[in-house]
Amino acid sequence: MDSKTELSGKTVLLMAIATGIIVANLNYIQPIEGLIAASFHVSKASVGVVAMLTQLGYAFGLLLIVPLGDIFNRYHLIQAMLGFSIIALFLAFWAPSITIFGMASLLVGITSVAPQIIIPYAAYLAPSLHQGKVLGNVLSGLLTGILLSRSVSGLLGSVLSWQYVYLVAAVICGILLLILHRFLPRDPRGHQSMNYRKVLASLPKLLAQEKHLQGSAINGFCLFGVSNVLWSTLAFYLAHQYHYGSGVAGLLGLLGITGVLFASIIGRMVDVYSPRMTIGLGILFSTIAFVVFAFLGHVFVGLIIGIILLDLGTQFGQVSNQAIVQSLSLEASSRNNSIFMFSYFLGGALGTFFATFAWSHFGWVGVCSVAAIFLVLALGGHLLLREPQKLQRDMQ
């Protein structure tokens, strides 16, 4: 069977929708952190730690589970992980204490890794010359899920008990599981004769061998860290500065539609021009965003402009880095993606942790200072490791 014939436009759309629905699980907590703190009678910093656990769980799920995509049939693996994610969401809905909710959040993070199995699967099925475009379309779904999750969570939290956010998510994921079982393409590779321990042991070697994987890992760490610096503290800042609730925090998430609309265009720019250029643009947009936050964040229009620029910068980095990583090797595509996304969400977890700590002790100035550190690291990696000017597609 020719694997390339599997990837129709409808299949790409299904993969994009699936990545968006599943990755949304990681971000529901952000606009409702204040509601959770009030519900469990704990500090906002404590809820910030729980939000970090979700990102950290996802990072370790990426490191330990996503490499299985190079061993097992991805059609079955994607569905199995989605099933476990549904169980974790029900646990978060039921959680009677902050401790159990923290455990549930960690499990939500660990089990919601199916998007990072879908992405290399899409790259594997796509014709080589159109991988950037396909990845851009699939990653549009990913970003849509992120921004809509914030909006849905914030709005639901403003009219219902925040726990129902996780119940609704579990039901939606259950419907998605049935659809994927029916329409997701079967994996033409079948089962691979590879040892799991050897696969994990190969991760440091792959990182050491691939300079461009190192560059993408550092860049992803920094740019997603910067993104989470904002989104983990925005609800607190809106309440403090403007006296707005979770509903407004959720609605501001819709501003990320700019990044969604540009994802496919960014993918084509990577194919036609240079991933080095597009990653540079990602750093530039993210930097301008926090300059705006620092000096104009007290003006609501300034906050809106900064969010648009930040989401655009995040998307430039995400699409460009994914295209670089998926161009390295078809045989090791899941492992390369695992390394990159582990670093990506480790940066997100640390961005969440340090930003909520900085907010508690230094306010908005501290939050912007944390972002500045991440951006300096991103620029250093960009200048030292130098992304490729053109992608060399692995034609295996």
Side-chain angles (χ1 to χ4, degrees), residues 41-107:
H41 306 291
V42 297
S43 68
K44 292 175 180 177
S46 297
V47 179
V49 171
V50 173
M52 180 197 72
L53 286 175
T54 308
Q55 303 286 343
L56 204 58
Y58 194 69
F60 280 98
L62 293 166
L63 190 66
L64 300 174
I65 296 171
V66 169
L68 294 173
D70 286 337
I71 304 175
F72 294 112
N73 183 296
R74 283 178 280 203
Y75 169 79
H76 296 299
L77 183 59
I78 289 165
Q79 294 178 68
M81 294 315 304
L82 182 53
F84 289 128
S85 186
I86 292 168
I87 295 171
L89 289 167
F90 275 119
L91 181 61
F93 165 70
W94 167 80
S97 68
I98 189 66
T99 301
I100 295 177
F101 180 68
M103 293 171 58
S105 296
L106 180 65
L107 290 174

Side-chain angles (χ1 to χ4, degrees), residues 87 98 132 175 192 198 223 258 264-265 287 320:
I87 295 171
I98 189 66
I175 295 170
Q192 305 298 300
K198 289 183 179 179
L223 290 189
T258 306
S264 184
I265 297 171
T287 301
S320 304

Side-chain angles (χ1 to χ4, degrees), residues 108-123:
V108 166
I110 292 171
T111 58
S112 296
V113 294
Q116 304 310 324
I117 302 170
I118 293 172
I119 289 168
Y121 192 25

Side-chain angles (χ1 to χ4, degrees), residues 48-384:
V49 171
V50 173
M52 180 197 72
L53 286 175
T54 308
Q55 303 286 343
L56 204 58
Y58 194 69
F60 280 98
L62 293 166
L63 190 66
L64 300 174
I65 296 171
V66 169
L68 294 173
D70 286 337
I71 304 175
F72 294 112
N73 183 296
R74 283 178 280 203
Y75 169 79
H76 296 299
L77 183 59
I78 289 165
Q79 294 178 68
M81 294 315 304
L82 182 53
F84 289 128
S85 186
I86 292 168
I87 295 171
L89 289 167
F90 275 119
L91 181 61
F93 165 70
W94 167 80
S97 68
I98 189 66
T99 301
I100 295 177
F101 180 68
M103 293 171 58
S105 296
L106 180 65
L107 290 174
V108 166
I110 292 171
T111 58
S112 296
V113 294
Q116 304 310 324
I117 302 170
I118 293 172
I119 289 168
Y121 192 25
Y124 175 80
L125 294 173
S128 296
L129 293 177
H130 299 288
Q131 277 188 4
K133 180 180 178 181
V134 168
L135 286 171
N137 288 332
V138 175
L139 289 167
S140 292
L142 194 80
L143 187 60
T144 301
I146 291 172
L147 73 92
L148 287 181
S149 66
R150 295 168 183 152
S151 302
V152 169
S153 176
L155 292 172
L156 279 178
S158 66
V159 296
L160 297 172
S161 175
W162 64 264
Q163 288 92 338
Y164 283 93
V165 171
Y166 290 94
L167 179 61
V168 170
V171 172
I172 292 174
C173 285
I175 295 170
L176 176 64
L177 180 57
L178 296 175
I179 295 172
L180 290 179
H181 182 72
R182 174 67 178 83
F183 295 106
L184 188 68
R186 269 55 174 178
D187 192 341
R189 302 169 315 144
H191 209 61
Q192 305 298 300
S193 57
M194 301 175 71
N195 181 277
Y196 179 60
R197 287 185 180 180
K198 289 183 179 179
V199 167
L200 290 184
S202 71
L203 297 181
K205 296 177 183 177
L206 287 172
L207 183 60
Q209 292 168 0
E210 295 284 2
K211 174 187 172 183
H212 294 317
L213 181 57
Q214 296 167 17
S216 291
I218 292 172
N219 186 261
F221 176 95
C222 294
L223 290 189
F224 193 57
V226 165
S227 176
N228 274 25
V229 165
L230 172 75
W231 289 108
S232 62
T233 55
L234 181 61
F236 302 149
Y237 184 65
L238 286 172
H240 172 78
Q241 182 69 30
Y242 301 100
H243 308 291
Y244 291 151
S246 64
V248 176
L251 286 173
L252 285 176
L254 290 174
L255 295 173
I257 192 67
T258 306
V260 175
L261 295 174
F262 272 85
S264 184
I265 297 171
I266 296 168
R268 287 195 291 271
M269 288 174 67
V270 173
D271 285 333
V272 176
Y273 300 108
S274 164
R276 177 164 174 77
M277 178 193 75
T278 52
I279 284 178
L281 288 173
I283 297 171
L284 178 63
F285 282 127
S286 298
T287 301
I288 295 173
F290 267 93
V291 170
V292 172
F293 290 142
F295 293 100
L296 296 174
H298 61 284
V299 180
F300 199 68
V301 173
L303 203 60
I304 290 173
I305 292 171
I307 289 172
I308 292 172
L309 289 170
L310 181 63
D311 277 326
L312 193 57
T314 302
Q315 189 73 339
F316 262 99
Q318 169 78 331
V319 175
S320 304
N321 283 311
Q322 282 283 5
I324 293 171
V325 170
Q326 296 306 323
S327 73
L328 299 176
S329 169
L330 286 176
E331 181 185 354
S333 61
S334 287
R335 282 170 287 168
N336 286 333
N337 195 53
S338 176
I339 293 168
F340 166 64
M341 293 306 300
F342 171 76
S343 180
Y344 190 82
F345 276 89
L346 182 62
L350 292 177
T352 296
F353 176 77
F354 287 119
T356 52
F357 176 85
W359 171 260
S360 298
H361 292 82
F362 307 106
W364 193 239
V365 173
V367 170
C368 293
S369 299
V370 171
I373 294 171
F374 276 98
L375 288 166
V376 169
L377 291 173
L379 181 60
H382 179 62
L383 295 176
L384 293 175

